Amino acid sequence: MNQVCKVNGKRMEARLAELGEIGKTPENGVHRLALSAEDKQAQKLVAGWMKEAGMMVRQDHFGNLIGRKEGTDPQAPVVMLGSHIDSVPNGGRYDGTIGVIGGIEVVQTICEANITHTHPIEVVAFCDEEGPRFYSGLFGSTGMIGKMTQEKLHMPDDEGISRYDELRSMGLDPDNQQDSVRKPGEIKVYLEMHIEQGPYLQAMNAPVGIVTGIAGPAWLNIKLHGMAGHAGTVPMNMRRDPMSGAAEVILAIEKICGSDPSAPTVGTVGKIAAYPGGQNVIPGTVEFSVDIRDTDEGRRDAAISQIQAAVDEVCKRRGLTAEVKVNERAKPTLCSEQVMAAMERAAGALGLTPPKLVSGAGHDAMCLAEIADMGMIFVRCLDGISHNPKEYASQEDITAGTEVLLATTLEYVK
Ligand code: HGY
Ligand code: MN
Ligand code: MN
């Protein structure tokens, strides 16, 4: 393979800073929800960088932004790099973005070093990886592998707007999905660099890690219905209060998911709302989200069944009714052994010995693993903080991760 070349850490640092200004929050985080005005503005900025890096740029009908650099054989399967640029509400500026900016940097470095390669390289900013706005994530990558559902496409946000509406308003045609779907064999390998979003690399004093597998998230929406009433006049023993019921269920979720300290099962209630939502009104309905994850699908689904049983018991005892909807049930995913070995070789040549670790966070890589070999490189982040404006990864560590990404890419594009 051609000469060794170095990525430009300063260029990546400047791009991360510029991207972080779009949707910036008072606490210096980012609020760039999928398909929002901020997300669309960020897509335009990233598309410009893809062009600067020597790529042709298009957007597929799922809203995925795709840069492509041809190799000597345009029919050869694609080496795909990518991640996402949408964020959670008031999130961090490194989650997803380092994988897109790092991928662009790999292609730009290959271009500037005039390295010839056989396989085409694509860099993808997947649409709506995070999911909070439309109640399910991995949207663009799910579409790319041909698993889009009408329910996902038309699920409205809290203002009644769907991803379908937003994509149409961008001049895309989500009804014409077939030419946006990639088939097994079209993609040789998918490589994603991402911040770890956990504490282990820092604890092991390692700048980068190699991911062995990704926990599978299940997202539920639970509604408890009781009887709205006057906060001042309804005696405590005559209430059917769904807020107190929700409190009991939420504590049950914590107990169920923490019952086996040796298991990586986690459960989170991140969003809750009371209707009608008055200071002096006993709520009629309380609705809350549940995010349950595990690397073992059976154990995760057993936790969901236990949560369902807890809801039934609380409702029976308190005279409530419940609606439990499972919006997302992603399978835990293993990374390809060959890709992990290639990453290890690449890191070794750079003098790094990255530890192997599991990802508790979900990633687009889970979808791509269904149609191609997949691997992920983790970059250390400060105190493991993520989905928080305090999220931070150093330029040195991001550069180290990108060097591993570049070297792994060069092995696959031959
Ligand atoms: O929720 C997740 O694991 C990812 O941040 N979308
Ligand atoms: Mn992410
Ligand atoms: Mn995230």
Side-chain angles (χ1 to χ4, degrees):
M1 181 38 70
N2 298 278
Q3 76 210 43
V4 178
C5 43
K6 306 292 283 172
V7 300
N8 184 332
K10 283 275 166 252
R11 176 162 59 194
M12 286 196 285
E13 189 171 36
R15 287 175 170 168
L16 273 167
E18 189 175 353
L19 185 51
E21 291 302 308
I22 302 177
K24 186 172 165 184
T25 65
E27 302 101 298
N28 212 23
V30 285
H31 191 86
R32 205 166 47 226
L33 298 189
L35 295 169
S36 61
E38 294 82 6
D39 187 28
K40 293 170 190 168
Q41 187 191 343
Q43 287 174 7
K44 285 197 179 76
L45 181 65
V46 168
W49 292 333
M50 288 177 169
K51 287 184 190 125
E52 274 176 42
M55 290 187 269
M56 295 297 287
V57 184
R58 68 186 177 93
Q59 193 152 30
D60 74 12
H61 294 303
F62 298 110
N64 299 314
L65 188 64
I66 303 168
R68 180 180 168 102
K69 177 184 181 297
E70 290 302 345
T72 53
D73 177 359
Q75 304 310 319
V78 169
V79 172
M80 184 180 278
L81 318 177
S83 194
H84 62 95
I85 58 174
D86 64 297
S87 82
V88 293
N90 199 26
R93 50 179 59 203
Y94 299 88
D95 176 356
T97 55
I98 73 162
V100 174
I101 287 174
I104 294 169
E105 182 61 31
V106 163
V107 172
Q108 194 153 359
T109 304
I110 288 173
C111 270
E112 290 167 350
N114 291 317
I115 292 177
T116 49
H117 51 89
T118 309
H119 293 263
I121 307 172
E122 289 186 3
V123 179
V124 184
F126 285 100
C127 179
D128 196 358
E129 186 277 342
E130 292 286 7
R133 179 181 172 190
F134 299 101
Y135 298 96
S136 67
L138 306 183
F139 173 77
S141 46
T142 299
M144 185 178 272
I145 65 169
K147 297 219 164 166
M148 184 52 63
T149 61
Q150 288 304 307
E151 187 191 17
K152 243 185 186 302
L153 194 52
H154 293 281
M155 176 74 81
D157 67 3
D158 295 345
E159 274 67 53
I161 300 167
S162 69
R163 287 181 274 218
Y164 182 89
D165 303 328
E166 291 284 12
L167 292 168
R168 294 287 306 207
S169 74
M170 294 159 66
L172 299 171
D173 180 7
D175 287 319
N176 161 21
Q177 298 179 9
Q178 58 281 359
D179 61 4
S180 300
V181 172
R182 313 299 282 270
K183 299 193 179 40
E186 273 190 53
I187 298 168
K188 181 179 181 185
V189 67
Y190 175 72
L191 307 172
E192 179 164 356
M193 177 171 77
H194 201 287
I195 53 170
E196 176 201 348
Q197 302 178 295
Y200 298 111
L201 289 179
Q202 177 171 292
M204 293 186 266
N205 196 23
V208 298
I210 293 174
V211 179
T212 56
I214 306 170
W219 282 8
L220 288 70
N221 207 51
I222 298 181
K223 278 184 187 165
L224 299 184
H225 303 289
M227 174 77 170
H230 193 302
T233 58
V234 181
M236 292 309 283
N237 64 357
M238 292 173 70
R239 295 184 179 202
R240 287 192 290 120
D241 182 350
M243 186 59 90
S244 307
E248 285 196 84
V249 170
I250 293 167
L251 285 173
I253 290 169
E254 185 184 52
K255 195 159 172 235
I256 290 162
C257 294
S259 57
D260 174 359
S262 66
T265 321
V266 287
T268 310
V269 174
K271 197 173 169 183
I272 187 165
Y275 302 93
Q279 186 95 18
N280 56 353
V281 180
I282 304 166
T285 293
V286 168
E287 181 174 8
F288 54 96
S289 66
V290 187
D291 175 317
I292 302 281
R293 305 188 189 210
D294 199 315
T295 50
D296 178 298
E297 191 175 8
R299 198 169 43 210
R300 181 200 65 194
D301 291 349
I304 292 174
S305 308
Q306 290 172 58
I307 289 166
Q308 179 67 64
V311 168
D312 296 345
E313 189 280 324
V314 167
C315 286
K316 192 158 173 277
R317 184 161 38 82
R318 288 178 169 273
L320 306 174
T321 57
E323 289 173 66
V324 178
K325 191 162 174 277
V326 181
N327 283 328
E328 180 96 84
R329 211 192 269 261
K331 281 186 178 312
T333 306
L334 291 178
C335 299
S336 148
E337 293 291 338
Q338 296 90 327
V339 180
M340 287 195 274
M343 289 175 166
E344 230 160 0
R345 283 193 296 276
L350 293 160
L352 296 167
T353 46
K356 295 224 176 78
L357 69 169
V358 163
S359 173
H363 301 284
D364 292 307
M366 302 167 81
C367 291
L368 274 294
E370 294 195 33
I371 61 166
D373 282 348
M374 171 281 282
M376 285 195 76
I377 296 162
F378 265 176
V379 170
R380 171 172 51 187
C381 57
L382 183 65
D383 298 335
I385 297 170
S386 184
H387 285 191
N388 177 321
K390 292 191 173 70
E391 185 182 277
Y392 173 77
S394 74
Q395 197 43 55
E396 294 69 31
D397 290 354
I398 295 169
T399 300
T402 311
E403 293 286 6
V404 176
L405 185 65
L406 169 63
T408 310
T409 302
L410 288 174
E411 182 167 330
Y412 274 100
V413 291
K414 284 175 192 163

